[in-house]
Amino acid sequence: MSAIRLFTDLDGRIGLRQFWLGSIVLAFCLLAIQWGAPRLTDKHSAAMIVVFANTFALFPWSALAAKRATDRGGSSLFGILLVCTIVLPRELQPLLGYAWAPSLVAISTMAWLVALVDLGLMPGVEPDAALAEQEGAAKRAS
């Protein structure tokens, strides 16, 4: 499977190895942006670049999670919702105030643990079925 399809296509299945490799690549890209942006621009511009990169990374991570959830026998929507549940509570904290902070952190942490176990550690439900990388590059007509 090509890297473009891995990070942009919500259809298909990927195994544990591709899921972890894709996640590591995304994490290193975000770390590089967070490290490099303050060194290349002023503080305000660097903050904007980091926010844009974090927001942009939601889609590739959702694509990875959707494909992995499909491989686990679930709906691709499950993977997408897990990623949103991990990321969005942190973004809502400044808007909801201090009283909501423990609840939002708990929600995000529980979703992260579910994603780690279900998507990151458990094998696919059909280990003998062909993964997306073994299928043809073109999608089948409906």
Side-chain angles (χ1 to χ4, degrees), residues 103-129:
S103 298
L104 294 173
V105 169
I107 290 168
S108 182
T109 304
M110 286 186 281
W112 190 89
L113 289 172
V114 168
L116 174 68
V117 171
D118 191 40
L119 302 180
L121 299 176
M122 302 294 289
V125 292
E126 299 175 14
D128 296 332

Side-chain angles (χ1 to χ4, degrees), residues 39-124:
R39 286 161 177 74
L40 299 174
T41 62
D42 62 287
K43 188 176 182 178
H44 179 71
S45 297
M48 290 303 190
I49 291 169
V50 169
V51 167
F52 176 77
N54 288 340
T55 304
F56 184 78
L58 279 175
F59 187 77
W61 251 315
S62 294
L64 287 171
K67 286 193 269 303
R68 183 69 188 130
T70 302
D71 185 52
R72 288 277 305 127
S75 168
S76 60
L77 185 60
F78 174 70
I80 295 168
L81 289 176
L82 268 177
V83 170
C84 291
T85 306
I86 291 168
V87 174
L88 292 180
R90 181 177 174 177
E91 303 303 322
L92 292 175
Q93 266 181 326
L95 302 174
L96 295 177
Y98 182 74
W100 282 91
S103 298
L104 294 173
V105 169
I107 290 168
S108 182
T109 304
M110 286 186 281
W112 190 89
L113 289 172
V114 168
L116 174 68
V117 171
D118 191 40
L119 302 180
L121 299 176
M122 302 294 289

Side-chain angles (χ1 to χ4, degrees), residues 4-19:
I4 292 173
R5 185 166 175 230
L6 180 67
F7 293 120
T8 60
D9 194 2
L10 297 174
D11 295 330
R13 300 174 50 219
I14 57 171
L16 281 170
R17 181 173 179 244
Q18 282 186 308
F19 175 75

